[in-house]
């Protein structure tokens, strides 16, 4: 597709359940980012991948959160034992080049809205 | 900890009027970004400001950066309804050009009324 694609667009789950959110970046983009946007707030950084490896995962709030990008393209954000406070919109972005380079402009997807009951 | 503050958070204005949104940040940074977000949609990049005194304009929007004052402004000229959206500023958290670890403001919800 032309843009960053995220699925599902909406996910409702019960507290304690496991959730996976998927991001399909723009074809050819080497860098991928996850951000989280809570209601009424700006997005907050979670994790940055360059290729297959997580270059910086310092924004992940705790060890219930994990993300992978095994083939350097699609990424999955995994949340274990979900809590009500995890409810937010999870945004994925990709860039053609590495962060900080001239081709490092971020293109965002429309997000996955997670609601934990 | 880097903090980014936008004001106002809510802005209701009439078509044809001018207004400015302010973005203050707490630590040294040489990159500032403005994004637009429509309800349920992606963040759309508007401007990237890379140096002190940078000014960029696109249509009715003009952004500027004063790194000494740690202040950026987004000026709206002769507003039209299509500009209604939420506008975010974001600052590079790590110096040296790493633009992935952005700290965002809370956003300014702009409503332009006929």
């Amino acid at each position: 597709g032309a843009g960053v694609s995220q699925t599902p667009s909406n996910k409702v789950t019960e507290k304690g359940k496991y959730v996976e959110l998927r991001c399909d970046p723009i074809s050819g983009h080497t860098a991928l980012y996850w951000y989280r946007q809570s209601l009424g707030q700006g997005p907050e950084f979670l994790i940055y991948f360059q290729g297959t490896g997580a270059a910086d995962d310092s924004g992940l709030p705790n060890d219930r959160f994990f993300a992978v990008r095994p083939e350097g393209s699609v990424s999955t954000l995994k949340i274990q034992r979900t809590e009500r406070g995890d409810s937010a919109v999870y945004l994925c972005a990709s860039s053609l080049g590495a962060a900080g380079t001239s081709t490092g402009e971020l293109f965002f997807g429309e997000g996955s809205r997670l609601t934990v009951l | 900890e880097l903090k980014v503050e936008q004001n106002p958070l809510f802005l209701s204005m009439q078509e044809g009027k001018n207004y400015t949104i302010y973005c203050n940040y707490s630590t040294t940074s040489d990159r500032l970004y403005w994004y637009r977000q429509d309800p349920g949609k992606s963040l759309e990049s508007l401007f990237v400001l890379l140096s002190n005194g940078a000014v960029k304009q696109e249509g009715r929007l003009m952004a500027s950066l004063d790194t000494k004052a740690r202040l950026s402004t987004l000026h709206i000229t002769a507003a039209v309804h299509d500009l209604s959206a939420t506008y975010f500023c974001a600052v590079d958290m790590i110096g040296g050009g790493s633009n992935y670890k952005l700290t965002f403001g809370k956003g300014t919800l702009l409503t332009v009324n006929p």
Side-chain angles (χ1 to χ4, degrees):
Chain A
V4 176
S5 176
Q6 292 188 245
T7 55
S9 55
N10 279 286
K11 175 71 176 177
V12 180
T13 191
E14 293 180 342
K15 181 184 171 196
K17 298 291 187 183
Y18 170 79
V19 166
E20 288 190 352
L21 307 175
R22 175 188 167 109
C23 173
D24 200 341
I26 294 172
S27 179
H29 280 198
T30 62
L32 185 145
Y33 319 76
W34 285 98
Y35 281 76
R36 179 169 74 172
Q37 186 174 19
S38 299
L39 190 63
Q41 304 294 319
E44 295 176 305
F45 170 79
L46 295 177
I47 187 169
Y48 158 57
F49 287 91
Q50 182 57 48
T52 60
D56 186 337
D57 64 358
S58 62
L60 295 177
N62 52 60
D63 62 5
R64 295 186 297 105
F65 288 75
F66 190 71
V68 296
R69 195 186 185 201
E71 298 179 357
S73 178
V74 171
S75 176
T76 304
L77 178 66
K78 306 181 180 191
I79 310 173
Q80 298 177 321
R81 304 183 305 280
T82 52
E83 299 178 357
R84 292 193 180 90
D86 299 335
S87 297
V89 176
Y90 289 82
L91 296 168
C92 178
S94 68
S95 63
L96 179 61
T101 67
S102 61
T103 54
E105 181 183 0
L106 274 64
F107 295 86
F108 283 86
E110 294 189 353
S112 291
R113 181 177 298 278
L114 175 65
T115 303
V116 182
L117 301 177
Chain B
E1 179 188 351
L2 175 59
K3 293 184 179 179
V4 179
E5 292 187 355
Q6 285 183 240
N7 71 83
L9 298 182
F10 300 94
L11 176 56
S12 180
M13 55 191 299
Q14 285 188 312
E15 283 189 328
K17 299 293 186 182
N18 304 332
Y19 210 84
T20 300
I21 299 171
Y22 297 88
C23 175
N24 291 89
Y25 54 98
S26 62
T27 64
T28 301
S29 175
D30 56 4
R31 285 176 180 250
L32 190 135
Y33 306 78
W34 284 96
Y35 288 89
R36 168 183 171 143
Q37 188 176 37
D38 292 290
K41 300 297 183 183
S42 302
L43 287 162
E44 174 191 354
S45 177
L46 295 175
F47 301 108
V48 181
L49 303 171
L50 299 177
S51 60
N52 186 41
V55 177
K56 291 194 174 179
Q57 183 163 3
E58 181 72 34
R60 301 174 187 273
L61 301 178
M62 183 174 71
S64 66
L65 178 61
D66 181 343
T67 58
K68 294 180 180 178
R70 297 177 186 167
L71 170 68
S72 179
T73 61
L74 180 66
H75 187 72
I76 303 154
T77 302
V80 292
H81 180 70
D82 286 352
L83 291 179
S84 297
T86 299
Y87 293 85
F88 291 95
C89 65
V91 177
D92 182 350
M93 186 184 293
I94 300 175
S98 299
N99 72 342
Y100 63 89
K101 206 164 186 176
L102 301 179
T103 298
F104 283 79
K106 289 188 175 183
T108 296
L109 176 58
L110 171 65
T111 303
V112 181
N113 302 305

